[in-house]
Amino acid sequence: MSLDSITDEMKNLRVSGLERCDGVNRRAFLHLGVLSAFGLSLSDAFRLRSQANPTTRKASSCILIWLDGGPSHLDMFDMKPDAPREIRSPFSSISTKVPGVRICEHLPRIAGVMDKVSLIRSLTHELGNHDTGARFLLTGHRPNPSIEHPSLGSWIARGAGTERAMPPYVAIPSDAVGGLSGAAKPGFLPSGWSAFNTGQDPGRITDLHPPVGITLKRGERRMEMLQKMDSFNRSLEQSTARFGRDAFYDQAARLLASKDARAAFDLDAEKPQTVQRYGQSRIGKGCLLARRLVEAGSRFVTVVDVGWDTHQNIARELPDSRFPGSGKLPALDRACAGLITDLAERGLLESTLVVLMGEFGRTPKLNALGGRDHWPRAGTVLLAGGGVQGGRVIGATNSFGETPVERPVSPEDLSCTLLTLLGISPQEEVITPSGRPVKIQAVGNFISELT
Amino acid sequence: MRNNRAILFAVSLLLGSSLAVRSTESRFSFRTDILPILTHAGCNAGACHGAFVGQGGFRLSLLGYDAEEDHLRITRELLGRRVDLESPDESLILRKASLRTEHEGGRRLLFSSDGYRLLREWISRGAPFGDPQQSVKGLFVEPEVLVLSRESPPSSIRVKARFSDDSEREVTHLASYQSNDEAVAMVDKAGKLRAQGSGVSSIMVRFGGHATAVRILVPFASTPASSSEAAFTHPIDQLMSETMARVRAPLTGLASDGEFLRRVYLDLTGLLPAPLVAQRFLSAPPGREKRQEKIDRLLESEEFNDLWAMRLADQFLVSGKGGGPEAPRMFHAWLRSRIKDRTSFNSLVNQLLTATGKPSDNPPAHFLFLDSDPRDLSEHIGRIFLSSQIACARCHAHPTDRWTQDDYHQFAAYFSRITKDGGSLGDSERGEVDHPKTGKPAEPRPLGEDRQAGEVGRGRRQELAQWLASPANRQFVHSFVNRVWKHLMGRGLVEPVDDLRPSNPASHPALLNALGELCVRDGMDLRKLIRVIVTSEAYQRSSRDSNQVAGVERIHAKGQVKALSAQVFVDMIAQVTGQPDNFPGQPEGTRAVQLATPQVASTALDALGRCRREQSCEGGAGGGGGLAQALHLINGSTINEKLSHGVRGLEAQTPMALRSSIEELYLRTLVRKPLVEELNHWTSLVESADSRVEGLEDLLWTLLNSREFGFNH
């Protein structure tokens, strides 16, 4: 599938999707206030609706497992066992389901599903700070004083439109990644396209049901009263639009009105065996919740796992942490492999794109504290599902894992690829609030080796 | 071949841009003649060779801050292949830049361009560094203020640089341009300006390590000029009137008494007026004195001290992180007392910077425990008190402000002798910040000043405080004035408020200067500054969507809607329902605004996005807000647990009493009476509820979740 054919498809849809004002019906007008809170004009809304099911893409949703801090490529997916002692990982490598591909011994379950996975070993850029690196990876653009580029999640949310009950973009526990980077935020898009932050405990999402003593019916009545109250005084509608409040209340109303949507957030509905498969860790529960959410209709769910900024003692921190087996690697291994397997068994893997990455890799030379520091020049990305072919390795680094020697992949290439796989045309032009025309992802090429 | 090339050369000279040709007698200066060409062509940008590790083995200093290093790398590295003195056109630097050799960065210089030609000539003359003293001393733009309109074709400006040898040269085609607000005007690489939308903004112009700005005014379209010529009596309005007239800003009328009352209460005290107070104010005849009296009353209230102590605590990052709760609590209490006894701001800051001893004995000593590394501490101080973002200059010269690495490290040197042994703040005779390039200790020097450290024997902190926390320090005064302005007006005269620099001027520069002077004359008194601002028409303008003209709030031609801080919102709910919150570990009746640190547990405050005080909260990049906040207000405990208390005494039995209860709820929350249609609608709705209490609770719930309640307008 070439990028050109996808773009043409998008163009056709766009042309056929545009409608004139005289084609508008009365119901659409009543929603005008909400649309403006989302920053959409009527023609936008029509166009997005018609784009909602383009036939060319495979993935209808994405689960991004974000390893905040910068996961060490040399200790996980790009091991160099023949490198000198001061460079190679303290861990051994193991074989995987794909002949010739070896990964860290502490990721045996992921090794067992490598046939479903494409592994990029040549991610490369130059931004070595958490906030700038995170912004580059999540928005596809380097930080720029003139424009705040929206994150991938926000673009996908916008493409999903405003009709669904499930929040289109969810962050578990929150969209605060890369320090105060704002990398996962809507940027110049209206705040309505922010993530829904589920809070620290994926097993307990609060505030989805009316409080004790309030029946569902009474809760519905209150929401109707609220709509009426807000309509009595419209004189603040425009002035408050930039805060996104109307958009958030609108999303809340739709979510609360749908029993199925609310039920999607309840992990207690899962069988114990399933919970076991993902693991009891926070990342495990987060991935399980993510699966439920995309099953119910969310389009982009980020599971944020913090603590990958391992400047010291990798040998102990990554596998064992507080006690043997309690480290980040075993938890990730279980959660990620559990997710991929679970999606596959439920027939959801084809339509769900799974991405595993962080803001950069880590220094090949181990530092004095037995850890590694920031190294944006090399890094890995794991992808599965959503049209991505399994069992492939794309790119390679040199013998010390310092720099790509084969098929370098930039964050721009990655962003272009993810957008395309998820049905967004990277070349689509939008107008920022200040009137500047900007392409969603002007720079970057589709990584065709993935499909 | 030769002849063709010569003709091409001559033609390109004729057709070329107006880059001034250097006479053959004058010598080349690498720093001022050649480096700007590389900067303009993008060679030393952060994404290219200016990256920390360079590109393709070639590294340049970011945006050319280190001419000596760059010259060495260009002329000496790679066995000197980058410049070919015998055949200049064969120099690698020229071949790559003009894409005659493979170059991942693409073509940066046309072969026929003046830039290429000058580079070649420089190489042919031996690629000299030239006079090491030669540098850019100043940058000027003409005109300094430009009025643009959307109908007119793109305008241009002229940029002149003055050099250390007092010569001047036009550098329009080498400067870099960036709009400070693209919604008002855009600028392209050549410096052509285009109006985008009405308002006031500026274009940042950079060359040779200096930055300045052109002020842009784009008039509003449909206003007759006369409406902006109203006679103003308040100094703030008078100072803004010239700009307002020049952009033909459609001035919104004053807010109604009710709108004003609610706004000024929230801005000065963080609370709503009690219904009886509101009634009295609304029924008295409208007038300026009435509002002035109210303002004076609020400035003397205890709640004023609470609210502004919280604001200062946000600014000074008062947090319990990494230490016990005692010290920050005492520090917070100390701040509140200083506000209450009207300590001048400069005196307050002086105490923060020079305090010694244990915070438990001397609360202001807690402030400098904010960070231990002198560089990190200097970055906080620069931002908090001078609204200067100096962080970039740690590793290289600041790209958009004037700070160099020397400035940065010499400023950080003020903090290198602080000791914290045994939890007691003190100073030692030793301790240095080493300049990363020379490895030698940096001599303390105030930011932006030429002079070196002063008297020997005075501690570094004392010296710093004397320079920084002083009414004579313009940046310090402007930073203070601008922050207070933003709290009240919703938008700083300079935005962002953490970034005051010459290349980002105020929307009303004369006003900022005048307010600064006034503030100094008033002894940097917080209340006096607030008073002068809130008595102006600019502050009292209505914020409602009247004429829907885009861009009017940015220049304060219309009132600006402000978000409510988490603490104020939570306090408003407690106040309106009459049921106070219970914060763990706090005395009964403590309001959210009074909490000393963000470490006090509260789901409500977290859901509403309270400032964590780890970094500046100005940008609003923290968590909270969004769909999660909406769900919490709708279903969570914050509002729901207080509804029953909130309707106590209002369970009216007669229709008239019911109407009266509804009016009471409106007055409490929105500081106004319901409109006839609102009153009728809610009366019949409450009457049809399962019980009167239920109906009223639902109405109160609705009011507290409403758009009109949730903002400060």
Side-chain angles (χ1 to χ4, degrees):
Chain A
M1 185 189 299
S2 79
L3 179 58
D4 288 342
S5 65
I6 294 170
T7 324
D8 284 337
E9 198 82 34
M10 292 295 147
K11 281 201 194 117
N12 290 334
L13 282 169
R14 231 188 305 150
V15 166
S16 65
L18 266 175
E19 278 171 52
R20 299 258 152 238
C21 282
D22 38 82
V24 160
N25 61 39
R26 188 172 169 271
R27 186 163 181 271
F29 263 125
L30 287 175
H31 283 295
L32 196 52
V34 166
L35 284 179
S36 67
F38 280 106
L40 296 173
S41 68
L42 274 172
S43 61
D44 282 331
F46 286 127
R47 173 166 45 84
L48 290 172
R49 197 189 295 157
S50 73
Q51 265 184 5
N53 295 301
T55 51
T56 45
R57 63 172 167 81
K58 293 265 174 56
S60 55
S61 45
C62 178
I63 296 177
L64 166 66
I65 305 174
W66 176 261
L67 304 179
D68 198 51
S72 171
H73 60 296
L74 279 151
D75 299 299
M76 293 167 72
F77 293 110
D78 193 15
M79 309 196 75
K80 308 283 179 184
D82 299 327
R85 155 92 73 70
E86 54 279 14
I87 293 186
R88 68 174 183 258
S89 174
F91 314 134
S92 312
S93 66
I94 53 172
S95 59
T96 68
K97 204 106 180 268
V98 180
V101 179
R102 298 178 72 84
I103 64 174
C104 175
E105 60 176 319
H106 295 293
L107 300 171
R109 288 182 172 84
I110 294 181
V113 295
M114 281 312 270
D115 57 327
K116 298 189 167 59
V117 156
S118 259
L119 175 59
I120 297 176
R121 279 183 168 151
S122 51
L123 178 71
T124 183
H125 63 97
E126 81 284 1
L127 300 179
N129 282 332
H130 295 294
D131 49 358
T132 50
R135 287 245 246 149
F136 202 3
L137 262 303
L138 289 170
T139 70
H141 294 84
R142 293 180 176 83
N144 182 329
S146 324
I147 307 183
E148 276 230 32
H149 284 275
S151 71
L152 183 59
S154 295
W155 283 122
I156 307 300
R158 173 182 174 270
T162 57
E163 318 243 308
R164 294 158 173 257
M166 286 298 288
Y169 177 18
V170 183
I172 306 167
S174 91
D175 60 357
V177 300
L180 284 171
S181 65
K185 305 247 181 211
F188 65 70
L189 285 177
S191 356
W193 303 123
S194 306
F196 169 43
N197 295 334
T198 59
Q200 280 303 330
D201 188 355
R204 223 180 69 83
I205 316 284
T206 51
D207 301 334
L208 288 176
H209 301 273
V212 171
I214 309 292
T215 62
L216 271 173
K217 195 149 176 290
R218 191 170 164 194
E220 279 165 24
R221 214 183 65 164
R222 283 179 170 184
M223 295 302 283
E224 279 167 28
M225 288 170 71
L226 181 55
Q227 198 172 34
K228 189 73 183 149
M229 173 74 75
D230 286 336
S231 75
F232 274 131
N233 182 0
R234 292 217 115 98
S235 69
L236 288 167
E237 216 168 349
Q238 293 286 77
S239 319
T240 56
R242 66 193 163 96
F243 298 105
R245 177 251 176 213
D246 288 355
F248 299 133
Y249 268 82
D250 182 68
Q251 279 182 17
R254 273 179 283 122
L255 173 57
L256 295 174
S258 164
K259 189 152 161 259
D260 292 336
R262 284 182 286 119
F265 287 90
D266 185 6
L267 281 188
D268 288 340
E270 286 290 333
K271 295 204 208 47
Q273 303 98 287
T274 318
V275 178
Q276 267 301 94
R277 165 183 265 178
Y278 284 79
Q280 294 284 1
S281 61
R282 213 170 267 178
I283 186 179
K285 291 205 186 138
C287 287
L288 175 53
L289 179 60
R291 191 219 81 212
R292 290 180 65 80
L293 298 181
V294 306
E295 238 177 333
S298 286
R299 301 264 337 267
F300 193 96
V301 183
T302 311
V303 180
V304 179
D305 191 41
V306 301
W308 289 91
D309 191 24
T310 48
H311 287 281
Q312 44 197 54
N313 205 352
I314 280 180
R316 209 203 61 192
E317 277 309 306
L318 284 182
D320 300 324
S321 190
R322 284 160 297 123
F323 55 85
S326 75
K328 307 202 69 61
L329 287 176
L332 170 67
D333 186 46
R334 229 199 170 110
C336 182
L339 175 65
I340 292 175
T341 313
D342 203 18
L343 285 169
E345 282 178 9
R346 284 164 197 264
L348 291 170
L349 194 54
E350 173 122 342
S351 58
T352 311
L353 176 62
V354 179
V355 184
L356 175 68
M357 67 179 180
E359 59 263 49
F360 35 64
R362 303 196 79 85
T363 49
K365 195 144 177 278
L366 285 154
N367 65 22
L369 300 165
R372 300 187 199 270
D373 306 314
H374 307 171
W375 192 259
R377 213 184 305 176
T380 56
V381 183
L382 205 101
L383 300 111
V388 167
Q389 293 302 311
R392 299 191 181 174
V393 173
I394 292 150
T397 52
N398 68 355
S399 55
F400 289 178
E402 291 164 319
T403 189
V405 289
E406 234 179 78
R407 211 326 180 180
V409 169
S410 69
E412 288 132 333
D413 296 329
L414 190 61
S415 176
C416 172
T417 306
L418 298 178
L419 284 163
T420 308
L421 288 170
L422 289 161
I424 309 269
S425 167
Q427 298 301 317
E428 180 189 335
E429 207 172 72
V430 296
I431 312 287
T432 70
S434 56
R436 179 198 265 259
V438 146
K439 291 203 173 138
I440 295 183
Q441 185 70 43
V443 178
N445 298 305
F446 186 80
I447 306 167
S448 47
E449 295 97 312
L450 288 171
T451 53
Chain B
M1 245 357 191
R2 268 274 152 94
N3 283 331
N4 284 346
R5 217 180 246 176
I7 290 168
L8 254 173
F9 183 80
V11 166
S12 74
L13 258 184
L14 285 172
L15 297 176
S17 51
S18 60
L19 211 110
V21 179
R22 297 190 67 80
S23 75
T24 45
E25 293 99 59
S26 58
R27 301 218 210 89
F28 273 106
S29 157
F30 175 76
R31 195 204 316 272
T32 58
D33 294 324
I34 302 303
L35 211 38
I37 298 174
L38 301 180
T39 308
H40 185 75
C43 308
N44 51 23
C48 304
H49 297 287
F52 198 65
V53 293
Q55 292 286 344
F58 181 34
R59 187 189 160 197
L60 289 172
S61 66
L62 179 66
L63 301 178
Y65 72 87
D66 192 342
E68 286 85 355
E69 271 293 318
D70 291 342
H71 184 259
L72 264 172
R73 291 194 210 270
I74 290 174
T75 56
R76 293 270 186 276
E77 271 187 358
L78 263 202
L79 301 172
R81 270 177 56 222
R82 291 201 174 112
V83 292
D84 187 335
L85 301 182
E86 303 298 309
S87 329
D89 279 309
E90 295 311 305
S91 308
L92 199 57
I93 196 175
L94 287 178
R95 290 171 57 86
K96 289 239 172 186
S98 60
L99 204 53
R100 276 178 298 132
T101 301
E102 217 177 86
H103 181 224
E104 251 183 72
R107 193 197 322 264
R108 310 310 304 186
L109 281 176
L110 275 177
F111 181 77
S112 55
S113 66
D114 283 325
Y116 184 100
R117 184 183 55 78
L118 215 67
L119 271 171
R120 193 212 287 119
E121 206 184 312
W122 170 71
I123 294 172
S124 76
R125 288 178 187 282
F129 187 80
D131 179 2
Q133 300 303 321
Q134 181 73 341
S135 61
V136 177
K137 271 294 178 272
L139 202 60
F140 308 94
V141 283
E142 240 172 69
E144 286 179 350
V145 182
L146 201 52
V147 179
L148 295 177
S149 87
R150 261 170 298 185
E151 291 77 42
S152 48
S155 300
S156 39
I157 49 176
R158 283 159 55 110
V159 185
K160 256 204 282 206
R162 181 181 304 137
F163 300 92
S164 47
D165 62 1
D166 280 332
S167 66
E168 280 183 14
R169 192 168 85 227
E170 182 177 347
V171 294
T172 311
H173 296 274
L174 286 176
S176 88
Y177 304 92
Q178 193 175 300
S179 169
N180 280 324
D181 188 349
E182 290 201 329
V184 175
M186 293 215 200
V187 64
D188 66 13
K189 270 203 77 168
K192 285 266 178 298
L193 302 154
R194 214 169 16 96
Q196 271 293 106
S198 311
V200 173
S201 178
S202 53
I203 304 290
M204 176 168 64
V205 179
R206 285 184 280 169
F207 176 84
H210 286 248
T212 183
V214 182
R215 204 152 163 254
I216 305 289
L217 305 175
V218 181
F220 287 84
S222 50
T223 327
S226 58
S227 75
S228 317
E229 274 168 18
F232 294 114
T233 51
H234 192 287
I236 284 181
D237 300 310
Q238 286 167 338
L239 283 158
M240 290 172 93
S241 65
E242 200 229 313
T243 302
M244 297 296 204
R246 279 186 93 175
V247 295
R248 293 147 58 95
L251 299 175
T252 308
L254 290 182
S256 68
D257 271 350
E259 288 166 30
F260 165 78
L261 190 68
R262 190 176 192 267
R263 182 192 301 171
V264 82
Y265 256 83
L266 288 174
D267 283 340
L268 265 48
T269 69
L271 284 170
L272 293 161
L276 276 177
V277 173
Q279 290 264 46
R280 216 177 307 139
F281 189 83
L282 291 172
S283 45
R288 180 167 269 172
E289 289 80 47
K290 175 168 87 156
R291 296 189 177 193
Q292 218 133 277
E293 255 177 50
K294 182 58 74 180
I295 289 167
D296 287 331
R297 183 85 59 90
L298 296 178
L299 287 172
E300 298 308 315
S301 67
E302 283 300 326
E303 289 81 7
F304 174 88
N305 301 323
D306 293 322
L307 179 65
W308 287 85
M310 179 188 90
R311 291 190 161 146
L312 279 191
D314 277 344
Q315 190 184 336
F316 301 155
L317 305 180
V318 179
S319 145
K321 207 162 180 222
E326 265 317 289
R329 199 190 54 74
M330 291 179 65
F331 180 43
H332 177 263
W334 178 90
L335 276 175
R336 188 187 186 283
S337 301
R338 298 294 70 76
I339 291 174
K340 184 170 165 134
D341 65 25
R342 308 183 77 127
T343 304
S344 71
F345 188 69
N346 51 296
S347 168
L348 188 153
V349 174
N350 192 301
Q351 292 182 61
L352 294 185
L353 294 176
T354 58
T356 53
K358 283 210 167 89
S360 49
D361 301 323
N362 190 14
H366 175 75
F367 177 66
L368 285 177
F369 279 86
L370 181 54
D371 218 312
S372 30
D373 184 283
R375 276 158 295 227
D376 293 331
L377 198 49
S378 73
E379 287 177 24
H380 282 298
I381 303 294
R383 183 187 64 73
I384 293 173
F385 298 117
L386 299 172
S387 289
S388 265
Q389 302 279 30
I390 62 176
C392 296
R394 187 189 282 209
C395 306
H396 50 64
H398 199 293
T400 55
D401 208 340
R402 53 194 185 262
W403 314 126
T404 63
Q405 249 187 323
D406 288 347
D407 290 327
Y408 179 98
H409 288 91
Q410 289 190 279
F411 183 60
Y414 279 112
F415 305 94
S416 60
R417 295 194 171 168
I418 295 172
T419 57
K420 292 173 179 165
D421 307 323
S424 176
L425 195 67
D427 304 274
S428 94
E429 300 283 303
R430 308 160 152 281
E432 305 291 345
V433 165
D434 292 332
H435 195 293
K437 262 190 79 187
T438 65
K440 297 220 174 57
E443 280 292 313
R445 179 169 59 85
L447 266 181
E449 309 264 331
D450 282 329
R451 63 180 175 83
Q452 295 296 315
E455 314 158 27
V456 178
R458 278 169 67 96
R460 288 187 177 187
R461 285 199 288 145
Q462 283 66 26
E463 162 134 357
L464 170 73
Q466 208 201 21
W467 163 76
L468 189 151
S470 157
N473 187 324
R474 204 149 171 266
Q475 186 101 347
F476 174 71
V477 173
H478 281 194
S479 169
F480 174 63
V481 167
N482 195 42
R483 287 182 194 283
V484 173
W485 178 275
K486 179 170 184 162
H487 279 305
L488 300 167
M489 301 295 284
R491 193 190 153 86
L493 285 170
V494 180
E495 279 284 346
V497 290
D498 282 331
D499 201 3
L500 254 65
R501 48 183 162 85
S503 52
N504 184 20
S507 52
H508 297 270
L511 174 59
L512 180 58
N513 289 337
L515 270 179
E517 284 164 17
L518 184 63
C519 178
V520 167
R521 275 209 302 279
D522 285 339
M524 295 198 81
D525 177 293
L526 177 64
R527 282 176 184 74
K528 289 197 177 137
L529 177 60
I530 292 176
R531 189 178 192 279
V532 93
I533 294 173
V534 302
T535 48
S536 69
E537 266 189 50
Y539 172 80
Q540 296 188 17
R541 291 202 171 106
S542 174
S543 63
R544 303 302 166 106
D545 307 332
S546 49
N547 37 23
Q548 313 282 51
V549 178
V552 280
E553 319 88 352
R554 275 201 298 267
I555 53 167
H556 305 296
K558 175 175 175 278
Q560 176 108 335
V561 173
K562 306 190 282 281
L564 294 165
S565 70
Q567 293 94 322
V568 170
F569 201 144
V570 161
D571 282 347
M572 283 160 70
I573 295 171
Q575 180 191 15
V576 157
T577 57
Q579 182 171 327
D581 293 291
N582 258 323
F583 295 104
Q586 306 296 317
E588 207 180 301
T590 307
R591 288 181 292 117
V593 147
Q594 294 168 319
L595 296 174
T597 70
Q599 275 66 37
V600 178
S602 163
T603 5
L605 289 176
D606 289 335
L608 292 171
R610 72 172 141 180
C611 178
R612 302 302 311 173
R613 295 185 187 163
E614 287 163 17
Q615 295 286 337
S616 164
C617 283
E618 291 296 339
L627 177 55
Q629 173 173 328
L631 287 171
H632 182 77
L633 291 172
I634 292 169
N635 282 332
S637 53
T638 305
I639 287 179
N640 285 293
E641 277 172 9
K642 298 187 184 301
L643 292 173
S644 123
H645 199 279
V647 302
R648 235 179 253 181
L650 296 176
E651 315 89 332
Q653 295 313 319
T654 67
M656 207 164 85
L658 176 56
R659 292 172 103 81
S660 167
S661 291
I662 293 175
E663 279 180 2
E664 163 80 10
L665 288 176
Y666 261 74
L667 270 174
R668 277 193 212 168
T669 54
L670 307 181
V671 191
R672 68 175 175 89
K673 291 233 169 93
L675 302 168
V676 171
E677 49 171 353
E678 288 175 319
L679 190 55
N680 289 338
H681 183 85
W682 300 125
T683 307
S684 67
L685 203 89
V686 171
E687 274 171 349
S688 65
D690 283 353
S691 80
R692 199 47 57 91
V693 166
E694 246 191 51
L696 284 169
E697 280 181 4
D698 288 348
L699 177 58
L700 180 53
W701 178 97
T702 306
L703 282 164
L704 292 175
N705 270 285
S706 70
R707 190 194 299 121
E708 195 178 336
F709 181 77
F711 288 97
N712 179 351
H713 41 78

